[in-house]
Structures are given as C-alpha cells and as structure tokens.
Amino acid sequence: MKSSERRRKTISADSTLEFTPSKPLTVGIELELQLLDKENLNLTNGIGPLLKCYPRSPYIKPEFIQNTVEVISKVGENTAQVHAHLAHLVKEVRQTCLTLGMELCAAGTHPFDKELALFTPLPRYLRMEKDAGYLGHAQITFATQVHIGVQEAAEALYLMHAFKAYLPLLIALSASSPFWRGYDTGFASYRQRVLAATRSYGIPPSFNDWQHFMDFYNALQRAGMIQTINDIHWDIRVRPHWGTVEVRVMDAQPTLTESMQLASFIRVLAAYLLAHSETSIENMPHALPWWIEKDNCYMASRLGLEANCVVDKNGSFKSIYEIWQAVQAEIQSYAYSIGESRYFEQLIKRVAERNISYQRQRNVYQATHSCEKVVSVLINELEDDLACG
C-alpha cells in the first residue's frame, strides 16, 4: 500500500466526532490492576486465562500489556454507586485470580519486576507495539482513570483546560510508584517519568472551541499520527462518544477506597469549576505557560506533597500541601451539596496524616529493606479494603 493510501485509510468515521451529551457530574472509573504470580509476586502475563472466565463481560477487559486487567465501573450518579459496583467486580476478579495461581494488587508501578511486558494480541495493541517499539514493552505502568459526565462539548473543553492547573496536585495525591525494578527511584510517582518517554502522554493542549479541537484532531488523522480518539493518551482528554472528560493522570491506588476518594475529589472539583466558569477564582491554581506546567508536574512526581509548584507567571511558588489546603477549603461546600462529603473528608484526613501510598510503601521498605515485602503489603491492603467494603 502506498504511503498516501495508508494515510487516507487512517481517516475513519469519527473524523467528524460529535459530542454525545451526558447527565452532568455522573462518574465512571477504570482501574488498571496488576496480575501477579502467587509464588514469587512478580508480574505475570495472565490476562488470557483470566478473560476466558469472563468472555462477555463489559466490565473486565484487557489492557495493552498482558500483566494487567482493567476493571470498569458502570456509570454512577455519585462515587458511592461506583464503589459498590467496583467492589463486587474486584472481589470476584480477585477470587478468580487466586484459582488461577495469581494474586491481584494495585500501584502505579510494580516495585521489583524486571521483565519486559508482552503485548496483548489484539489488533489495536499489536499496532501500538509496532509503533512504540521497545518503549511499549517497557511501559509497565498502572493507572486510575476517572470520567465526569458533561452536557456539551464547550463544557468538556472548558473542564479539560481548567483541570490542567490541578495536575500537579492530582499527581501528588495519587502517587504510588516510588519503586522501579528493585530501586527506590527518589520519585513519589515514577510512573510519570516512564510515561514521559512515550509519544502521546502528558499535558493536553487547550482549545478555543469544538471546531478548534476538531481541526486539530483531523490534522492528526490526516498525518497518520492517530486513527481514533483512543490513540490520544493525554493526562486529561475529552471522550466525545461517552460525553465525558477523562482524568487519566493518577497512579493506580492500592485500595478501592483510595480510588473513590480521588474520584470524589475530581467530581467535587468539576462541580465547583463548572459553577465558576465565568468568574475569576481567588486562591485557586490557574493555567500557566506550558514549560512551567510541565515542570510543576515533574516536581509533583518527584516529591509528592512536599514539592513546590510555581503558581503565577512571576515565579511565585507554594508547596503542593499548601495548594491542597486552599483548594479543599474552597470547594468543600460542594462536596456536601453533591453528596460526596464521605469520601472527600476521608481524603482530607488521609492527606493530613501523610498517608499517601508512596509514603506507606517507603515506610515498609525502610523497615524491611525488601521490595517483596512492599508488594505483600500492597496485596494485603487491597484484600483488607475489599473485606471492609
């Protein structure tokens, strides 16, 4: 096939994407969980046997690497509804894994596994393997992804832009990947550094309106850079067919409850931002020049809550913990008004106690000098959380 023909072939039906409205502030969550060998706690390429037990489930899916299972929630009116559904699913998946000689756990990276990943043999993933080369086999990371429903395309683009200022905060609150291939990386979220090497991850552009976004999207298709919207892996992206804004920057969380806390925060923040879309918001982060945004995210991945972030174009800075305190105080009333106070208050307490996963993992390692023990604790955290849910 000639190059021009190959490029024309990439322009698919969704080159004229239409935005499908959703009920405002509905929520959905996707969890990427690690499949482990029960004996040695290394990652294992177990998605094939696992999926044979769920041949038609819309909620249990493969990811591009075979050591991952993605568990997808129903759309919920609030986070509590999503939690109930995911708890049932993850309990069932965990029991199935045990019968197959696997364990289940969650974190942004596996603390000590050194094997390259195998791609799942599905057409899209095989195309990704061809495009990514070695990078794809080394991209062994796990995420929590949260979808927020919006009514129209303009709101989706506004939220995608407004959320950018909160990416460093979300990175710090979710950081759960301090270890990589047996080493303490010195980062709270080393997952961010792994993804930084890849082609389509990172901070999204901003768009003036839907036509501006469509012009950009169609240009990517004509250039053969993407085939569909699924090939764009920004930290925040619009999902037109679902009518959502998807926040993808967070590490996978060791427990379902922690994932729900993050989802609840995002939902509350979305409610606040949509209510103030026409006003200037004091004491809240704002979009900055791209290079500063990029460095803020780097520092958040490096130092977590202890990082300093630039907060204006003059170079003034605050710690992420200070930013968190200002943000949570400003938006807390919205947590009550949309029924999210339970998870939101849990998150406030956990941050105050410095009980973020990267901190707990380091505490375990400092006490035991064992990455294997870190994984054992991650397994137990998920098991105990499911038992309480």
Side-chain angles (χ1 to χ4, degrees), residues 9 53 68 74 151 190 220 243 254 260 330 354 362:
K9 189 174 180 180
C53 302
T68 310
K74 294 179 179 177
Q151 288 182 298
Y190 193 69
L220 296 187
M260 298 308 111
E330 182 77 13
R354 297 299 201 272
R362 282 213 172 101

Side-chain angles (χ1 to χ4, degrees), residues 119-184:
F119 272 66
T120 303
L122 296 172
R124 177 170 175 257
Y125 297 142
L126 294 176
R127 176 172 59 82
M128 288 173 62
E129 180 180 26
K130 184 177 180 180
D131 290 344
Y134 177 85
L135 277 177
H137 293 280
Q139 188 185 316
I140 309 170
T141 64
F142 308 85
T144 302
Q145 296 158 358
V146 176
H147 292 258
I148 300 296
V150 293
Q151 288 182 298
E152 57 185 38
E155 286 185 341
L157 291 178
Y158 162 72
L159 275 184
M160 189 171 79
H161 174 76
F163 273 141
K164 287 203 295 182
Y166 301 87
L167 287 173
L169 179 55
L170 288 166
I171 290 169
L173 292 174
S174 70
S176 68
S177 49
F179 297 100
W180 178 253
R181 299 189 171 181
Y183 293 94
D184 186 335

Side-chain angles (χ1 to χ4, degrees), residues 79 90 215 219 328 332-334:
T79 307
V90 176
D215 291 344
Q328 61 92 4
Q332 191 165 19
S333 63
Y334 283 79

Side-chain angles (χ1 to χ4, degrees), residues 194-316:
V194 176
L195 295 179
T198 59
R199 184 179 188 183
S200 64
Y201 287 79
I203 303 168
S206 295
F207 300 95
N208 297 328
D209 52 38
W210 192 249
Q211 187 58 54
H212 185 200
F213 172 74
M214 283 307 311
D215 291 344
F216 176 86
Y217 177 76
N218 290 335
L220 296 187
Q221 283 195 321
R222 283 192 295 270
M225 295 167 64
I226 63 169
Q227 289 192 9
T228 73
I229 194 75
N230 294 333
D231 296 326
I232 296 174
H233 299 102
W234 296 329
D235 293 336
I236 317 155
R237 65 181 178 184
V238 295
R239 298 307 300 268
H241 298 123
W242 296 346
T244 68
V245 176
E246 181 186 5
V247 182
R248 303 167 44 83
V249 76
M250 294 87 67
D251 282 4
Q253 299 299 288
T255 69
L256 277 187
T257 299
E258 288 168 301
S259 296
M260 298 308 111
Q261 292 167 3
L262 292 173
S264 181
F265 170 58
I266 290 168
R267 186 167 179 259
V268 174
L269 182 59
Y272 180 88
L273 291 171
L274 288 170
H276 292 78
S277 60
E278 303 299 326
T279 61
S280 177
I281 308 171
E282 294 184 8
N283 302 318
M284 302 289 278
H286 295 282
L288 294 164
W290 176 79
W291 190 259
I292 294 177
E293 290 180 336
K294 181 174 180 288
D295 195 71
N296 281 346
C297 288
Y298 176 90
M299 291 308 300
S301 74
R302 174 76 171 85
L303 297 175
L305 292 173
E306 287 69 45
N308 288 327
C309 283
V310 176
V311 295
D312 60 36
K313 295 178 182 179
N314 297 321
S316 304

